[in-house]
């Protein structure tokens, strides 16, 4: 066992000892036991034994909102997550507005994971109104999907998140306002990329590429779109489509054909536009195909 492993095991032993003391009814008040237990759970939520020892502490304190949230955090590890949601919904109806917002946000996320969007909406509204940035962002995404850009923009701005800024810029671009899109990106600072999360840097490059493209600065646009090829959703393929368009504008037959033909094999909007490009520029595409064949 390494020294790090030993430190971890000793810390776990201490956590279990404190949890057992709380469960046994330590001399402090019920409210204090819940607060201490909440801090303990936050650090050891992945440890099943710690969760099991702490659960009676929180169960005894219901309907305390902190206890309800903690019970949800414990039961979310169960196979049936709706049980956890029930605790969080109870917390969302409690008297403390900040804890109620936290409970609503927890419950809304559970609904979103379960694709229960209608159930999530009122909870997201409650949490967003209380200032929870993630809730404002999530609610804005849903509203944007329904084509309501104005209320979605207000939520994205309220969220103050890097993703929100990118979505605001995209809304400005849909309104044919590249200067406004540039303004929305003034404070955009992408966080370091973590595998499994959205690549906001690539997404931001795509937005910057679109701004440059619409301004006619093809050199800058090409550089940005090249970096945006791994942007989330369909944005990477749209970046590839713009690169094909830039190649056409520059008379680069082989690159234009290579990119357009690759995209045209798909079934999404980028594929449809790529096939249209190939139909509109048959001579250039034929030349590109000939040049690539010669290279082989």
């Amino acid at each position: 066992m390494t020294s790090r492993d030993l430190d971890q095991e000793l810390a776990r032993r201490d956590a279990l000892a404190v949890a057992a003391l709380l469960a046994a009814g330590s001399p402090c008040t019920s409210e204090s036991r819940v607060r201490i237990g909440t801090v303990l759970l936050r650090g050891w939520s992945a440890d099943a034994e710690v969760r099991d020892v702490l659960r009676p502490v929180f169960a005894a304190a219901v309907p305390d909102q902190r206890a309800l949230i903690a019970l949800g955090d414990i039961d979310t590890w169960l196979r049936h997550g709706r049980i956890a949601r029930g605790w969080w919904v109870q917390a969302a109806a409690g008297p403390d507005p900040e804890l109620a917002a936290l409970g609503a946000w927890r419950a809304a996320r559970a609904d979103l994971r379960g694709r229960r969007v209608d159930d999530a909406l009122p909870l997201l509204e409650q949490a967003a109104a209380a200032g929870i940035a993630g809730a404002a962002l999530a609610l804005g995404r849903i509203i944007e999907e329904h084509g309501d850009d104005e209320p979605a923009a207000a939520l994205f701005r309220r969220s103050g998140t890097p993703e929100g800024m990118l979505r605001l810029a995209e809304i400005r671009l849909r309104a044919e306002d590249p200067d406004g899109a540039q303004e929305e990106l003034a404070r955009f600072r992408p966080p370091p990329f973590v595998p499994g999360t959205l690549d906001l840097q690539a997404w931001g490059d795509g937005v910057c590429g679109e701004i440059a493209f619409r301004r006619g600065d093809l050199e800058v646009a090409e550089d940005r779109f090249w970096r945006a090829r791994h942007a989330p959703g369909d944005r990477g393929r749209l970046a590839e489509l713009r690169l094909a368009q830039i190649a056409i504008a520059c008379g680069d037959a082989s690159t234009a054909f290579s990119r357009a033909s690759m995209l045209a094999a798909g079934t999404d909007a980028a594929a449809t536009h790529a096939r249209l490009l190939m139909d509109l520029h048959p001579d250039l595409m034929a030349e590109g195909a000939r040049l690539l064949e010669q290279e082989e």
Side-chain angles (χ1 to χ4, degrees), residues 37-272:
T38 299
V39 174
L40 200 59
L41 180 64
R42 192 177 301 134
W44 296 91
S45 61
D47 191 296
E49 190 174 357
V50 174
R51 294 198 307 269
D52 289 343
V53 175
L54 283 175
R55 198 179 196 289
V57 176
F58 301 123
V62 170
D64 179 282
Q65 282 170 281
R66 292 182 190 276
L68 290 168
I69 292 171
L71 286 169
D73 292 347
I74 289 173
D75 286 349
T76 194
W77 292 84
L78 301 177
R79 187 180 297 273
H80 186 29
R82 294 283 281 186
I83 297 173
R85 181 188 184 276
W87 295 118
W88 292 326
V89 169
Q90 288 185 63
D96 185 302
E98 291 185 357
L99 292 174
L102 186 58
W105 176 221
R106 293 272 216 282
R109 285 191 297 179
D111 283 333
L112 292 176
R113 287 193 295 268
R115 301 183 186 277
R116 299 181 294 271
V117 176
D118 289 342
D119 291 339
L121 283 174
L123 296 163
L124 287 173
E125 289 170 357
Q126 178 182 352
I132 294 182
L137 180 63
L139 185 58
R141 288 191 201 115
I142 294 170
I143 293 174
E144 184 184 31
E145 286 175 4
H146 287 82
D148 298 328
D149 278 353
E150 188 173 341
L155 287 160
F156 293 143
R157 183 163 285 108
R158 188 192 305 175
S159 79
T161 61
E163 181 183 338
M165 295 174 194
L166 292 174
R167 290 185 179 275
L168 277 168
E170 288 182 335
I171 288 173
R172 290 292 193 100
L173 285 171
R174 285 198 292 274
E176 303 297 332
D177 182 10
D179 291 340
Q182 186 70 57
E183 290 175 8
E184 298 294 356
L185 293 181
R187 294 181 296 107
F188 173 67
R189 300 292 184 275
F193 175 67
V194 176
T197 64
L198 297 177
D199 189 341
L200 296 184
Q201 178 63 70
W203 185 347
D205 282 325
V207 175
C208 290
E210 188 64 27
I211 293 169
F213 184 83
R214 296 193 186 196
R215 289 172 171 170
D217 191 344
L218 299 187
E219 185 176 351
V220 171
E222 182 178 25
D223 177 65
R224 290 289 193 166
F225 285 132
W226 179 262
R227 300 185 205 174
R229 290 170 300 136
H230 302 294
D234 61 359
R235 296 174 182 85
R237 284 179 58 79
L238 292 175
E240 294 277 8
L241 179 67
R242 287 303 199 203
L243 287 170
Q245 291 176 289
I246 291 170
I248 291 171
C250 296
D252 186 346
S254 58
T255 299
F257 174 76
S258 175
R259 293 196 178 282
S261 60
M262 175 190 66
L263 289 168
T267 58
D268 57 0
T272 300

